[in-house]
């Protein structure tokens, strides 16, 4: 089996599993409890917060642990927008993860916000010049993803942040897919809020993180006991937080070498597919993309049909965002790039991981060539796929 779906989830790193184990056993306490077991859990939680703060280059007190990337995005978009009296105008892009788009829609439907969308080019890149033209005196938040989960496009965050900073508008980025591959130093990025998810970088599912610059008020989305300094109620997932900190620290230490190796591997994989599959199209930019991400559309096929053929050959990948798996609708990311619905439905995404070998990538590429050929032979042009 060759696993090529790391954008959906990753295996838990051994060091993360070992680090979290004590907090599932002897140090299992509630970090809000004022006794020795609770205090040991609280100390582990704060040590995790400090480790993550060092990677991001931020104050530990500005970090909020969440239940995952979706909650972190919800808390960022709703929390910042509702926590600021500046206005009810929000700017984002049509390529965002559903967590951001649905949060923006919630603000529009229930709180009277006006949501405007940046226009991506054919590679999925948005423009700082267009952003400058959209910002108004009542703009309360800009949210643009660091790296796209379907096509791997890496946005020019520093250029976008220069615009928002000049206008005094908070800038949030969903960095879930960027973690482990791109720098998360927020001073260099220029952002004011950043979301992460543990299971995308070797921690377990069910833990996420939001960093928000301290001067911005954050309206809670969850209410209750007032944990996380009143910003996110609910007993903290201490084992998850420890695992997230451990996985993030390890991934950051390996990042530059892993990114360089995976970029070469992905380039080789992409060249085989484009060179040997007639009509194959790479979606997203050729260069300005995540090191381990390659996505294609294959005219005359169906994305799900290709996935089944690939799995028969031992290759596990996806047709796009795991959150939209099973939907008959074409990818909102691909249609925003101008692809026709029928072509967008043929999308297949390959996302490799640090453990992927060159032999595995080349084997996956050969399987793509064989799978697409098999489908096109079984269903000639003009014949509908089941």
């Amino acid at each position: 089996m060759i696993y090529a779906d790391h954008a959906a989830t990753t295996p838990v790193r051994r060091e993360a599993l070992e680090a979290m184990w004590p907090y599932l056993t002897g140090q299992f306490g509630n970090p809000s409890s004022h006794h020795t077991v609770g205090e040991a859990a609280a100390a582990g939680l704060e040590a995790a917060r400090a480790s993550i703060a060092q990677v991001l280059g931020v104050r530990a007190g500005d970090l909020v642990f969440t239940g995952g990337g979706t909650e972190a995005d919800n808390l960022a978009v709703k929390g910042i927008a509702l926590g600021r009296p500046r206005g009810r105008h929000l700017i984002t892009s049509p390529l965002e993860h559903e967590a951001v788009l649905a949060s923006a829609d919630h603000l529009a439907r229930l709180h009277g916000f006006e949501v405007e969308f940046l226009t991506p080019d054919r590679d999925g890149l948005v423009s700082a010049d267009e952003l400058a033209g959209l910002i108004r005196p009542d703009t309360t938040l800009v949210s643009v993803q660091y790296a796209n989960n379907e096509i791997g496009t890496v946005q020019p965050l520093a250029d976008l942040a220069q615009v928002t900073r000049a206008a005094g508008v908070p800038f949030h980025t969903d960095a879930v897919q960027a973690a482990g591959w791109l720098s998360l130093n927020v001073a260099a990025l220029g952002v004011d809020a950043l979301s992460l998810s543990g299971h995308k970088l070797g921690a377990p599912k069910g833990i996420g993180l939001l960093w928000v610059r301290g001067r911005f008020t954050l309206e809670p989305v969850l209410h209750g006991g007032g944990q996380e300094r009143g910003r996110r109620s609910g007993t903290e997932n201490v084992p998850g937080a420890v695992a997230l900190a451990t996985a993030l620290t390890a991934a950051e230490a390996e990042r530059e070498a892993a990114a360089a190796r995976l970029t070469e591997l992905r380039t080789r994989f992409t060249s085989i597919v484009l060179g040997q599959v007639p009509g194959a199209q790479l979606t997203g930019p050729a260069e300005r993309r995540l090191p381990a991400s390659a996505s294609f559309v294959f005219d005359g096929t169906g994305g799900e049909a290709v996935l089944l053929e690939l799995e028969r050959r031992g290759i596990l990948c996806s047709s796009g965002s795991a959150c939209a798996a099973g939907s008959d609708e074409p990818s909102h990311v691909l249609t925003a790039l101008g692809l026709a619905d029928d072509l967008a439905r043929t999308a297949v995404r390959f996302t490799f991981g640090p453990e992927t070998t060159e032999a595995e990538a080349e084997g996956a590429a050969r399987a793509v060539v064989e799978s697409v050929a098999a489908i096109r032979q079984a269903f000639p042009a003009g014949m509908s796929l089941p």
Side-chain angles (χ1 to χ4, degrees):
M1 182 188 76
I2 297 174
Y3 184 72
D5 201 17
H6 288 78
T9 196
T10 60
V12 176
R13 285 175 171 264
R14 174 173 288 278
E15 59 263 54
L17 187 62
E18 291 174 350
M20 71 186 291
W21 181 249
Y23 297 95
L24 293 167
T25 52
Q27 299 174 41
F28 61 86
N30 186 321
S32 296
S33 296
H34 296 293
H35 49 58
T36 54
V37 178
E39 288 170 358
L45 184 69
E46 295 315 308
R49 205 185 306 271
S51 295
I52 295 168
Q54 187 171 8
V55 173
L56 272 59
V58 300
R59 297 190 311 171
D62 291 341
L63 300 176
V64 183
F65 286 111
T66 68
T70 290
E71 185 190 340
D73 282 345
N74 271 258
L75 180 56
V77 175
K78 298 173 186 174
I80 295 174
L82 295 175
R84 280 176 60 86
R86 174 178 171 124
R88 293 185 182 273
H89 178 240
L90 189 151
I91 301 171
T92 186
S93 93
L95 309 180
E96 301 300 301
H97 189 276
E98 289 86 349
V100 167
L101 295 177
S103 294
D105 179 66
H106 170 89
L107 291 172
R109 290 185 295 105
L110 299 184
H111 296 279
F113 277 73
E114 179 186 352
V115 181
E116 282 198 84
F117 295 94
L118 295 160
T119 306
D121 65 15
R122 291 284 295 185
D123 288 334
L125 292 164
V126 299
S127 161
D129 289 339
E130 185 189 17
L131 176 60
L134 290 180
I135 287 181
R136 309 184 324 209
D138 63 337
T139 302
T140 195
L141 176 68
V142 173
S143 182
V144 176
Q145 200 172 38
Y146 193 174
N148 188 263
N149 52 307
E150 293 191 33
I151 59 176
T153 300
V154 177
Q155 298 291 352
L157 288 194
D159 294 342
L160 300 171
Q162 190 172 8
V163 173
T164 59
R165 193 181 309 113
V169 176
F171 182 20
H172 164 253
T173 190
D174 174 343
V176 165
Q177 294 294 339
W181 299 115
L182 305 173
S183 172
L184 298 178
N185 184 281
V186 299
L189 297 176
V191 298
D192 301 299
L194 180 145
S195 302
L196 295 176
S197 177
H199 76 103
K200 307 295 187 178
L201 50 83
K205 301 168 186 66
I207 184 68
L209 180 81
L210 175 66
W211 167 75
V212 178
R213 198 177 296 280
R215 70 174 181 269
F216 293 113
T217 302
L218 190 66
E219 177 67 24
V221 173
L222 298 179
H223 301 89
Q227 288 87 347
E228 295 296 285
R229 300 189 180 184
R231 297 165 298 184
R232 195 272 187 183
S233 291
T235 302
E236 292 96 341
N237 177 359
V238 178
V242 170
L244 172 55
T246 304
L248 180 62
T249 301
E252 179 62 18
E254 302 166 0
R255 178 173 60 81
E256 291 187 2
R261 187 181 74 83
L262 267 294
T263 297
E264 290 185 8
L265 183 150
R266 182 208 71 211
T267 300
R268 172 64 177 154
F269 170 81
T270 300
S271 67
I272 294 173
V273 173
L274 294 178
Q276 298 184 29
V277 179
Q281 297 180 45
L282 183 71
T283 57
E287 299 297 331
R288 195 183 175 91
R289 65 189 305 127
L290 288 170
S293 176
S295 56
F296 306 88
V297 288
F298 302 109
D299 194 17
T301 70
E304 295 300 323
V306 175
L307 293 182
L308 290 172
E309 285 291 328
L310 286 169
E311 188 164 1
R312 286 181 56 235
R313 292 167 170 81
I315 314 300
L316 304 181
C317 53
S318 68
S319 57
S321 171
C323 298
S327 172
D328 291 331
E329 294 299 314
S331 159
H332 72 277
V333 172
L334 297 182
T335 55
L337 300 186
L339 273 67
D341 287 2
D342 287 346
L343 185 58
R345 288 190 178 95
T346 73
V348 181
R349 179 188 70 180
F350 302 87
T351 46
F352 303 112
E355 74 282 2
T356 306
T357 66
E358 184 177 350
E360 288 176 328
E362 292 187 354
R366 289 192 297 270
V368 173
V369 176
E370 295 169 2
S371 298
V372 173
I375 293 167
R376 287 174 173 171
Q377 184 176 5
F379 301 95
M383 189 174 177
S384 299
L385 275 69

